[in-house]
Amino acid sequence: MLKSYSFPKYPYCRSADQDAAVSNTHPVVIIGAGPIGLAAAVDFSIKGIPVVVLDDNNTVSVGSRAVCYAKRFLDISDRLGVGQRLIDKGVTWNVGKVFFEDKQVYGFDMRPEKHHRRPGFINLQQYYLEQYYVERLAEFPSASMRWKNKLIAISQEQDLVSLTVETPEGPYQIKAQYVVACDGANSNTRALCGLESKGEVFEDRFLIADIIMQDKSFPPERWFWFNPPFHNGSSTLLHRQPDNLWRIDFDLGWDADPEVEKRPENIIPRVKAFLGDDIEFELEWSSVYTFCCRRMQNFRDKRIFFAGDAAHQVSPFGARGANSGIEDIDNLVWKIQLALEGKATVKLLDSYSEERVLAADENILNSTRSTDFITPKNRANKVMRDAVLGLAKEFSFARPLVNSGRLSLPPVLKNCSHISPDLQHFNATIEPGSPCTDAPVLVNDDEVFLLSQLGEHFQCLVFIDDLETLNSTEIDQLQALSELAQPIQPYIITQEVTATTLPASINLLIDHRGLIAQRLDSNDRCCYLLRPDQIVAGRSRAFNFKLITQMQHRALGDPTDV
């Protein structure tokens, strides 16, 4: 057990469902109170949807486990009301360094651009993340967090899901309109549904050693060694975490005995060889892991949706597990919300699997390539890899070929059926299917960030060079967007502050640095339609009410397909 953290013990509490004569029906039941299940529960709660969360444990995860959280994770956590707390506790880093034997090959910076609210990455132990999300969920009286409640049976009827739950006081039954399975790589929900996750299982074994040390000579950066001189394995990775906790990952090879390798008497000499004999440290937690790259064929089974590791798994190289899992939730929750309101189409619910399978395949591809580079499977591959690393020391052309784990970036949902393709040329890294960019804006003379101003609905960003040129027809059309059956919140973005008065339904953002316009390659009357998850659903060089509603129509699916 960790010494630097006091693990909370959450009490088992009897629920009203256990005394009900007839099974109660809940809008949403979530299986698993890890980072992904908790994020889903908070998201539903923010949207005013009562949610039940079942977890067979009564505390947070032991050990650092997921460590690196990318900017997109932090942006989503901001929307869920947890982002600042993660930043305050976490170790911020943007710089990574790659070493070959005892020489640095190159470094990189994960900050995409300056003037973003959040950094490229933070490091934070998973148990802190889970604790903060549990405490955030407790702020919603309509959310029922049920510890020591284990799903033991599940079946689907035409419009409901029936669940049997085991507790310390015996089993009970409930029903749900929708179920979100977030119960990890060994998903019990997936097994009970008779579904599989298929892919490649790797034989490589890695040792995680979490150590406490006061030494400050290692900066808060990601350091990765190929052929480290202090370790006979193929690679070593170092990350700094809060509380003077450092995580070291050692590659152990294929034949290592996990039980032998995780003994303290074997770990401590390995760490000493890495740090040096003069640095004092204390072993906090350790684990030996293998990994796989695999996914389910479909992330939706009628009214049951799978997210996070329950749906897809990747190797840890690139920090794609929790980061892609929270993107699953960001994609899914607003779609289920519309289904509960009777406004979602079958195609919209299916689009969750379409879009997140695409994302999973991209993550699996990048993760597999990283694994093959980090742990070559034969001598020829190792010779080739080492040649690339040797060249990278001196020649910049070889550095892009070095793959120490392509770090997590949100995928672009290209060619997905609910994303409108460009009809005009844009010279911007943000494109349809991408998350919207961020930058400072002024609201009532206060500098804030664009993403912090976006709400829980569709939004339309309209760029206006001169507000005085807005005519009454355009203003009426902007107002009409907010009055649609599925509202679109209009935002006017301009760089000059004027005395022009706008109706209350139209938000005004002053792009005082010109960064939003630059990053979105906007012109006068250019517009971007954003989905509730801040994904660009479509864009146009000219503001056109009919075109914007057509983009939203495509984003939502065919309304006749009920």
Side-chain angles (χ1 to χ4, degrees), residues 362-383:
E362 180 177 314
N363 282 323
I364 288 171
L365 176 64
N366 284 310
S367 183
T368 301
R369 286 175 174 172
S370 296
T371 302
D372 289 342
F373 192 87
I374 292 168
T375 59
K377 300 305 180 287
N378 55 56
R379 185 176 181 277
N381 287 348
K382 187 176 188 302
V383 169

Side-chain angles (χ1 to χ4, degrees), residues 419-428 430-433 459-464 474 477 481 491 517 520-530 536-552:
I419 300 296
S420 296
D422 279 335
L423 300 177
Q424 302 98 14
H425 175 69
F426 282 81
N427 183 25
I430 304 302
E431 57 185 301
Q459 9 260 325
C460 184
L461 310 182
V462 183
F463 291 83
I464 304 294
E474 290 174 321
Q477 289 180 338
L481 289 176
Y491 292 80
L520 297 181
D521 186 28
S522 74
N523 55 271
D524 188 38
R525 267 53 176 190
C526 174
C527 60
Y528 276 70
L529 178 66
L530 309 183
V536 177
R539 60 186 174 181
S540 172
R541 283 290 181 191
F543 174 67
N544 182 298
F545 179 84
K546 182 178 180 180
L547 180 59
I548 293 168
T549 56
Q550 286 174 342
M551 290 176 181
Q552 187 194 48

Side-chain angles (χ1 to χ4, degrees), residues 249-280:
D249 289 51
F250 295 100
D251 168 29
L252 300 176
W254 296 5
D255 301 325
D257 184 330
E259 295 305 316
V260 172
E261 294 293 345
K262 65 183 181 183
R263 294 173 185 166
E265 62 267 26
N266 293 322
I267 296 174
I268 289 173
R270 194 184 297 275
V271 175
K272 282 186 175 181
F274 171 50
L275 297 176
D277 290 334
D278 56 334
I279 295 180
E280 296 184 359

Side-chain angles (χ1 to χ4, degrees), residues 211-213 215 217-218 230 238 246 248 250 268-282:
I211 63 169
I212 297 176
M213 67 173 179
D215 188 270
S217 58
F218 295 103
F230 46 79
L238 175 69
W246 298 76
I248 312 172
F250 295 100
I268 289 173
R270 194 184 297 275
V271 175
K272 282 186 175 181
F274 171 50
L275 297 176
D277 290 334
D278 56 334
I279 295 180
E280 296 184 359
F281 67 90
E282 185 176 359

Side-chain angles (χ1 to χ4, degrees), residues 289-402:
Y289 64 89
T290 57
F291 52 84
C292 58
C293 290
R294 62 186 181 186
R295 67 166 173 85
M296 298 177 66
Q297 182 176 355
N298 195 313
F299 297 172
R300 178 191 179 198
D301 180 28
K302 299 177 184 176
R303 288 178 172 264
I304 303 173
F305 296 82
F306 294 84
D309 285 353
H312 48 78
Q313 297 166 257
V314 293
S315 78
F317 307 122
R320 298 174 183 275
N323 286 298
S324 63
I326 202 169
E327 291 168 13
D328 291 344
I329 294 309
D330 201 42
N331 186 293
L332 175 62
V333 171
W334 68 272
K335 297 174 180 179
I336 292 181
Q337 177 190 20
L338 291 182
L340 290 167
E341 295 172 353
K343 300 175 183 177
T345 65
V346 170
K347 288 181 181 178
L348 180 63
L349 293 178
D350 284 341
S351 73
Y352 165 70
S353 186
E354 176 196 1
E355 294 174 355
R356 296 313 299 165
V357 163
L358 180 150
D361 285 344
E362 180 177 314
N363 282 323
I364 288 171
L365 176 64
N366 284 310
S367 183
T368 301
R369 286 175 174 172
S370 296
T371 302
D372 289 342
F373 192 87
I374 292 168
T375 59
K377 300 305 180 287
N378 55 56
R379 185 176 181 277
N381 287 348
K382 187 176 188 302
V383 169
M384 179 66 72
R385 185 203 71 176
D386 290 353
V388 168
L389 290 165
L391 288 169
K393 292 180 184 178
E394 304 294 334
F395 302 102
S396 60
F397 79 86
R399 290 166 191 164
L401 302 176
V402 176

